[in-house]
Amino acid sequence: MIEAQTLADTLSAGLKQLGLTLDDAQQKLLLGYVGLLEKWNKTYSLTAIREPERMVPHHLLDSLAPLAHFKAGTGARILDVGSGFGTPGIPLAIARPDWQLFLLDSNHKKTTFLRQAIVDLKLTNVTVVTERVEAFRPEAPFDVITSRAFSDLAEFVKLTRHLLTPGGEWAALKGVYPHEEIALLPADVKAVGVDTLTVPGIDAERHLIHLVLGEG
């Protein structure tokens, strides 16, 4: 069993490499999330990564790496589509308590975990939605719609365009640079930026793709 201090040190060092400043309480919440994920994973098989020492880079730091690149101010409404067991939504909610995070997934098993996690972690800025994205009709649209391995970009945009506020953006987390997916976007959707991300502890490509609605 890996020591809690080792996990804390890995997280702290990774945040420093990412240039992120989170206080002790936030870091404790992030590690609490990993603890819940490890516990529930034994019964629910939420993630193929079972070791907490691997969850820190693959789930926490990978979710937080794009944080500085999100175009969202205080009070922003952020939708995490296909949130699964809560990435990137829960780490983002912990890092930015001034944002309102909505975690959407159609899998009841996963949203049951998400609801329990936000209770246990006392996250007041998170709403869990068990729904298919195309059927979701929220009270208000979203400033940023994000996803981590949800679908290809064209499908992501097609299923969520009714949820984006005017002037908002899609921020899709991808591995290798998705040249072909960008080329297949609808005519009225523009890729306005691609950030190359380096995630401490992960030797793989990561990109954040910024998409907006434009003229078709």
Side-chain angles (χ1 to χ4, degrees):
M1 190 72 177
I2 194 154
E3 290 185 18
Q5 188 59 49
T6 303
L7 293 179
D9 290 345
T10 301
L11 175 60
S12 179
L15 292 172
K16 188 174 181 180
Q17 282 181 258
L18 291 173
L20 298 176
T21 304
L22 301 187
D23 63 28
D24 289 344
Q26 288 171 303
Q27 293 188 42
K28 188 174 180 180
L29 282 175
L30 288 168
L31 294 172
Y33 168 57
V34 163
L36 289 171
L37 192 51
E38 182 196 16
K39 177 183 172 183
W40 278 63
N41 207 40
K42 292 171 182 173
T43 304
Y44 280 71
S45 297
L46 297 167
T47 168
I49 295 175
R50 301 189 171 276
E51 306 83 8
E53 62 271 25
R54 293 183 63 221
M55 289 180 181
V56 170
H58 284 271
H59 295 330
L60 298 184
L61 299 177
D62 198 37
S63 294
L64 293 171
L67 183 63
H69 304 284
F70 273 73
K71 295 172 176 61
T74 298
R77 288 167 55 86
I78 316 286
L79 176 64
D80 177 14
V81 177
S83 188
F85 51 85
T87 55
I90 286 183
L92 291 176
I94 291 170
R96 289 295 301 262
D98 59 316
W99 288 352
Q100 291 296 317
L101 269 293
F102 290 74
L103 314 186
L104 184 146
D105 204 284
S106 61
N107 185 304
H108 285 262
K109 180 175 70 173
K110 290 174 179 174
T111 55
T112 297
F113 166 73
L114 292 176
R115 287 191 172 89
Q116 190 59 50
I118 66 173
V119 169
D120 290 354
L121 299 172
K122 297 180 173 61
L123 299 179
T124 59
N125 63 327
V126 180
T127 301
V128 178
V129 181
T130 309
E131 184 68 271
R132 293 186 64 83
V133 63
E134 60 269 30
F136 182 38
R137 295 295 184 272
E139 291 182 2
F142 297 94
D143 303 295
V144 176
I145 300 177
T146 190
S147 73
R148 184 175 181 243
F150 170 65
S151 70
D152 64 68
L153 293 176
E155 184 74 0
F156 176 45
V157 165
K158 175 186 173 184
L159 292 174
T160 59
R161 64 165 64 222
H162 68 288
L163 300 168
L164 190 69
T165 195
E169 75 159 24
W170 290 279
L173 291 159
K174 290 287 180 178
V176 297
Y177 195 112
H179 293 279
E180 187 173 335
E181 290 185 33
I182 290 173
L184 293 173
L185 284 168
D188 64 342
V189 176
K190 309 298 180 189
V192 292
V194 178
D195 297 305
T196 301
L197 308 173
T198 301
V199 183
I202 297 180
D203 184 20
E205 286 187 52
R206 290 289 189 272
H207 294 89
L208 181 68
I209 318 300
H210 300 270
L211 306 172
V212 299
L213 277 171
E215 296 297 323

